[in-house]
Amino acid sequence: MGDTLAGWLQAIALVGALALCYRPLGDYIARLLTTSKHLRAERALYRVVGVDGDADQRWPVYLRSVLAFSALSVLFLYGLIRLQTHLLLSLGVPEMEAHQAWNTAISFTTNTNWQSYSGESAMGHLVQMAGLAVQNFVSAAVGIAVVAALIRGFTRNRTDRVGNFWVDLTRISLRLLLPIAIVFALVLAANGVVQNFHGFHEVTTLTGGQQAVPGGPVASQEVIKLLGTNGGGFYNANSAHPFENPTGFTNLVEVFLLLVIAFSLPRTFGRMVGDHRQGYAIVAVMGLFWVASAALITFFEHQHGGTALQAAGAAMEGKEQRFGIAGSSLFAASTTLTSTGAVNSFHDSYSPFGGGLTIFNMMLGEIAPGGTGSGLYGMLILAVVAVFVAGLMVGRTPEYLGKKLGGREMKFASLYILTTPALVLIGAGTAIALPGERAGMLNSGPHGFSEVLYAFTSAANNNGSAFAGITVNTAWYDTALGLAMVFGRFLPMVFVLALAGSLARQQPVPASAGTLPTHRPLFVGLLSGVVLIVVGLTYFPALALGPIAEGLH
Amino acid sequence: MSTTLEPVPHRAAAGLLDPKLLLTSLPDAVKKLDPRVMVKNPVMFVVEVGSVVTTVAAIADPSVFAWAITAWLWLTTVFANLAEAVAEGRGKAQADTLRRTKSDATARRLVDWPASSAEEEVAGTALRLGDHVVVEAGQVIPGDGDVVEGIASVDESAITGESAPVIRESGGDRSAVTGGTKVLSDRIVVRIGSEPGKTFIDRMIALVEGAARQKTPNEIALNILLASLTIVFLIAVVTLQPMATYAGAPQPTVVLVALIVALIPTTIGALLSAIGIAGMDRLVQRNVLAMSGRAVEAAGDVNTLLLDKTGTITLGNRQAAEFRPAGGVTVEELADAAQLSSLADETPEGRSIVVLAKTGYGLRARAQGELAHAEWVPFTAQTRMSGVDLPEGDGRQVRKGAAASVANWVTGHGGSVGPEVAQLVDGISAAGGTPLVVADREGERPPRVLGVIHLKDVVKEGMRERFAELRRMGIKTVMITGDNPLTARAIAEEAGVDDFLAEATPEDKMALIKKEQEGGKLVAMTGDGTNDAPALAQADVGVAMNTGTMAAKEAGNMVDLDSNPTKLIEIVEIGKQLLITRGALTTFSIANDVAKYFAIIPAMFAGVYPGLSHLNIMGLHSPTSAITSAIVFNALVIVGLIPLALRGVKYRPSDAGSLLSRNIGVYGLGGLVVPFLGIKLIDLVVQFVPGLS
């Protein structure tokens, strides 16, 4: 089977699987976010922690709960990493430096999973399971919880309550992530992903050399790494490693896993606001960007000029033979569009425009379909901006789903769209201005700049993948990227929850013929245009000096 | 008073921009460069700071290019101020006219009125709330208030521009008088209803001058979005310098500032306040005074319009629509009798009967002398009939009037009223009309009923189309009437309103407004009477008629000087047009950036990365000419759009979807394409300027 045909079949299978899951999964999430029934296990948990599961919170309280939970997570993870050499199952890994441990703790709590360390040589099994895997679950749940609060802002009227964070967190973890993770961990394990408690095996390779091959509970962690759009690999090579992603089939399953929740959440949104068409409009915009991006990256990787590449038939440097161009490009587009950051090929080796697109994907703000939860809230914020401008153009105070977008609402939406670009550009601008940090680049010229730009784009957008060439395990990069991750994750959440609070307080305006319709193709086009223009205009100069300069000869 | 409707379809018309105003407003525009003024407009403040920076840079390192950019940046700032100054200038001219009417006439204050009628002369400015003054023919009314005694004709042309005098009398809904207007006849006592300096004219002056102008909610929200875009672009350009330095192409300060100014949304930033002022101004041109910009915006958002039936939906009076003869009577006979009985009837209903007889049955007014001896029986409240007694032959009496009264007259003289007449009467009532029964009596014979005249409310021409239009805009119309539900329903159906409120009391009106508002809807209404005041205050847009009482005018947030309730529809359209103009220019402004990038980025970096010259798709002559052209375009587009900002974008009432696709097409796609052409054209000229080529 040719690479092109394989690519088409994979894409079709993937779209089909996602389409099949859209309704049942979206509806299921909506139900678990709205039902008043608690499971017995949940009730017991609330009693132990001391939470009233039936009491809803005001948005500041909800926010404080998110922040407190995340701060505790960072502290716990930091402590666990620093102390792992004294604990069980450490496999004899060396103690991690403070700045790197801090960076890692932040990275997993913020759903970024930027790894400035090498998984197999820096983390023991205990940290992988009790630290990183736990954060893979809860950080994903936090994202969904925040978008749940935002959707409640649209659906609730004249109230200051946006839901209960502890209840949302518990339900999403126990009822959504855990069951899917268990099923697909078995699927992955059955298809060759390792799952054991072994340490390092010394093996003799075909050429007679010695190699230490580490085992570990990989499948269980691999599944949530993708399902929760985390991306932190058990191994340094991430999903390119044959123990994490052995076959073309597991590759397809992994891409499916990292997309499935984010692509189903618009259904949840449509169901909760009582109009499925609203969900279809949002998922259409997400799908449009995803399809376009995957197609373009595949195209550019096939097109690449250069003698060696033409001899190979395509830009195969940095890609696994078992995935080929199509499997790699599909994975690359999906992982950079979802804030996952897992990689099955090395984006640094992509053609200038292909690699540029992976940067651009992240610059979109992880919204198409984006991280679990964070993708939808990011898209809804951009929808708010689009509705504002378009709403004025139909001659009314703009309103989205019956809620008016006044000064307060626009303040939070504006701050949201301001945050990430500021972090990316200030971070990259500073790094490139400092002679010491410039030295971290592997390449010179525009490609070297792309590495730096990629690093900050990835961190601030909580993606976590890297343009591999750059050396980032220095105190400066660990600190700067750590700050970009923290602010890139939690500042937007502050604005989203504030917006949720201000929407929930409102009395809805009934829709009429004069109301801007937000479910028609026209709106889908408009929202796509706003996304492209807002992102394109912000990052065009930086992109021009990186991938565009490299790609245009 | 103008009640004519514009033909449908139509557009919210607008004042024209006098090009001379651009010149005369220039000094004001320069005065506004004061940073303390500029800082209120974050986008343009950034441009001004940028201008200062480039000026310093140009002095430090002079070149034609640096000075050209500096000059055009300053011009950009001045052009933005010019837009505002022109908008304000038009208001100032109106304010000056108003100020002339504010005389410092002395007032004749009544001491201890009504116990005594002692007078004292005081300055008009010394009058306080609750004072009583007397005003006689030829004198100017010293302050706003209500007539509490007497009746007078008043010349209100100073305010309304209408030269015909109006009647103002104590009690009722025509008691309000406005300071600065002139009593033409008779004598009235006025209770002053406003503090000095807060009179209607004072407020009008402040409004048209824009002195009291505050940013409206939508304007604030838009400003926030624009400010955040400005910050994003500031960051993008400031962080570009280290990236450019790494690339080996550090940029001169002048170029970086030029890039910032080109990217931030200067077009909408420059025109935003002018659009708001012009919106108020468009209302003033239609003789409507909005007490706040917020009210104008709310008008665009209105979901429900409450419209009084009489005067708004129907012409003020009922008119004869048809003659329905009783059994055995021909319609010509009935028409003849009806006309005969109405010849001397000067009421509009009476005249309409004569007109119908003439147009429908060719009956002309009688020959001279034919009715010389006729004795006219006028309508009285007791008889509720009118008619005529003719002496010819045995004498003939013709009567027309309310069904019950005429029936009494017929039976009282020995006649009888057949059941088919009662059927006719009921049928007309059921259809929402008013039946007038016509009967006659020859000599001493018993009278007989000839038939019934169908009087009906006449819906103003074009109203049905207007309401259909409003429905397309998503606005529900509710007709308010004192009529019974049967009549009200018939008229509502004929006029095409969505709903009606029959036998409406002020309390019903209030309850209806509150009910709509509880559902999240915005309600607009007109009113004039004191008992309308609570509802006017409760409504989101309350338009008080200038003929109304002081209380009504105080309660509403707009006053229509023409007292034309139909204007509510135009007010809604102006409100929408205001918002659309803002949205359209914002879209245009942001879409412009794409072309500017294609001009400036290759100009900045094609030197170090020659591949980037592929981005120079406009084929601009040189880096300096490209950047200069982008900045010149950026400045000129502001001036070019001033007329549009003042006039408002074209608005045709239609549903949201079609409005949006049209405006995205014109201002979104237009905003993408126009600057490519504009910058290219400017570059064709600029490349010949020595030092820029």
Side-chain angles (χ1 to χ4, degrees), chain A residues 359-366 424 453 457 461 535 539 542-543:
Chain A
I359 305 184
F360 186 76
N361 283 347
M362 294 187 288
M363 286 172 170
L364 290 174
E366 304 301 12
V424 171
L453 183 64
T457 308
N461 284 291
V535 173
Y539 292 109
L543 286 172

Side-chain angles (χ1 to χ4, degrees), chain B residues 337-359:
Chain B
Q339 186 228 31
L340 202 53
S341 67
S342 306
L343 282 173
D345 185 349
E346 281 303 308
T347 64
E349 289 87 351
R351 275 195 307 245
S352 78
I353 294 172
V354 177
V355 169
L356 180 66
K358 179 174 161 188
T359 55

